[in-house]
Amino acid sequence: MSKIICYWSGTGNTEAIANKIKDDLGCEAVSVAGISAADASKFDLIILGCPSMGSEELESDEFEPFYKELMNLAKGKKFALFGSYGWGDGEWMRNWQEDLKSLGGNLVCEGLIVNGDDSAIDLNSYNAFISALK
Ligand SMILES: Cc1cc2nc3c(=O)[nH]c(=O)nc-3n(C[C@H](O)[C@H](O)[C@H](O)COP(=O)(O)O)c2cc1C
């Protein structure tokens, strides 16, 4: 199964998580600035990373347009979601998962949320996430 990680990161936390997932899965990780939605849609499993921005929202300038275009092209594909957050409780991820399902994506596992950088990863959640993507 072909896999790709596509992420947006403002201060590097989501990028650090993306790179860890990349190392453990052995697939490519690219910033959404470096890949088109059309190219990303060709993979069987698309692993998307975006931190909580706005008010419990996806980043709106770069990530959201990429994501919306991708969902038009990749209906029925497999997806997994991850990202970093700060002061909230992960609401953005709950909303994002519902949105992805409503747009026809198949979630293969619970979204991975990390409060801060990759040093704050909960190992049980992380291992379950990686196992579901192998
Ligand atoms: C403009 C802005 C809005 C944010 N909004 C939220 C939010 O609604 N909820 C939350 O938990 N964290 C929020 N954060 C915190 C980020 O999610 C957190 O700093 C995260 O680690 C950033 O990830 P990154 O380094 O990949 O950009 C916000 C940060 C910024 C800069």
Side-chain angles (χ1 to χ4, degrees):
M1 183 167 56
S2 64
K3 300 167 195 173
I4 184 104
I5 302 166
C6 304
Y7 66 90
W8 183 93
S9 185
T11 55
N13 293 339
T14 301
E15 181 174 36
I17 304 162
N19 284 330
K20 184 169 167 57
I21 298 168
K22 173 188 84 171
D23 290 345
D24 288 333
L25 287 182
C27 67
E28 222 188 319
V30 286
S31 150
V32 293
I35 186 168
S36 68
D39 282 346
S41 73
K42 293 174 187 152
F43 289 80
D44 302 320
L45 170 62
I46 305 164
I47 305 160
L48 296 175
C50 182
S52 178
M53 297 294 285
S55 175
E56 300 298 335
E57 287 155 354
L58 296 172
E59 191 277 327
S60 58
D61 289 342
E62 281 190 274
F63 187 82
E64 197 163 19
F66 170 87
Y67 164 67
K68 293 293 181 193
E69 192 185 345
L70 177 65
M71 294 316 294
N72 273 328
L73 297 167
K75 285 198 174 58
K77 293 263 174 155
K78 292 179 179 167
F79 290 89
L81 307 179
F82 68 96
S84 174
Y85 68 103
W87 50 85
D89 69 349
E91 184 187 339
W92 107 103
M93 179 59 76
R94 297 194 292 277
N95 295 341
W96 188 8
Q97 295 186 125
E98 287 312 307
D99 186 65
L100 184 129
K101 285 189 255 177
S102 77
L103 295 173
N106 293 322
L107 270 182
V108 298
C109 60
E110 196 63 30
L112 177 71
I113 65 171
V114 179
N115 187 204
D117 67 17
D118 56 327
S119 69
I121 287 175
D122 174 78
L123 271 186
N124 284 337
S125 310
Y126 182 77
N127 290 339
F129 185 80
I130 293 296
S131 299
L133 305 188
K134 275 195 168 154

